[in-house]
Amino acid sequence: FSLGFFQANGIRAVNLNVAKVSPIMLKERGATSARDLLTLQFDALHLADPGFCASAVSAFGADDLVREFVTTPADAVAVAGAAAHQLGLDAGALLMLCAGAPTEAAAVLSQLVPRGGSLGGTAPVTLLDTGLRAQTLTALGYTAEAVQAQTCCGATDLEKLGF
């Protein structure tokens, strides 16, 4: 069976998952990019499965997967766990997708480890753009001191965050 056969006959991600057809197997059957996975209705949530993600990275590369699958705040939430490491995404990259989406930004931070210590290298403006503020950050384990140390933000940015 080929990628064209799957597409022509309405065989989609749900069917392929049940049949345990991996991204590497799909590549062997004609898939040439992560976009081909999208045509079969795979989405970012599939990347949350470490085995599927590893196979997809091996078949198509992390950059191609990120470009096609990680484009919305919901996608950032879906891959924020182990998949983020496999895809080479840090907190800053995930939070940039969550601009104006504080609920999703909080969900991203809640999955990252270490708790209260995952903002290293994140620009203060990225954190501000998410809409997260001190009350939520504190609930997620981030003190004013931790935010300042990890993001190198100044007193003005801390004030804007509500600390």
Side-chain angles (χ1 to χ4, degrees):
F1 298 105
S2 68
L3 176 66
F5 176 85
F6 295 147
Q7 292 168 326
N9 290 284
I11 298 171
R12 302 290 180 242
V14 66
N15 312 105
L16 295 166
N17 275 339
V18 169
K20 303 208 183 302
V21 176
S22 71
I24 290 174
M25 295 167 77
L26 289 169
K27 185 173 184 177
E28 292 167 352
R29 286 162 177 78
T32 59
S33 70
R35 185 172 301 249
D36 289 331
L37 296 180
L38 288 174
T39 67
L40 296 170
Q41 297 181 349
F42 285 99
D43 59 30
L45 195 54
H46 289 98
L47 294 173
D49 174 342
F52 181 89
C53 188
S55 177
V57 168
S58 178
F60 306 110
D63 291 342
D64 193 20
L65 290 166
V66 170
R67 186 173 35 259
E68 297 295 337
F69 283 88
V70 189
T71 61
T72 69
D75 297 339
V77 173
V79 301
H85 297 291
Q86 290 178 295
L87 296 169
L89 297 171
D90 62 9
L94 295 169
L95 291 175
M96 278 195 274
L97 291 168
C98 295
T103 302
E104 289 84 350
V108 164
L109 289 179
S110 73
Q111 296 180 67
L112 300 177
V113 291
R115 181 175 170 79
S118 297
L119 291 174
T122 301
V125 68
T126 300
L127 189 58
L128 285 164
D129 285 349
T130 65
L132 286 174
R133 295 300 178 255
Q135 182 177 1
T136 304
L137 289 166
T138 301
L140 291 167
Y142 292 92
T143 63
E145 295 77 19
V147 170
Q148 186 172 32
Q150 293 172 48
T151 66
C152 298
C153 68
T156 303
D157 290 328
L158 283 176
E159 187 176 321
K160 289 177 185 175
L161 289 168
F163 284 109

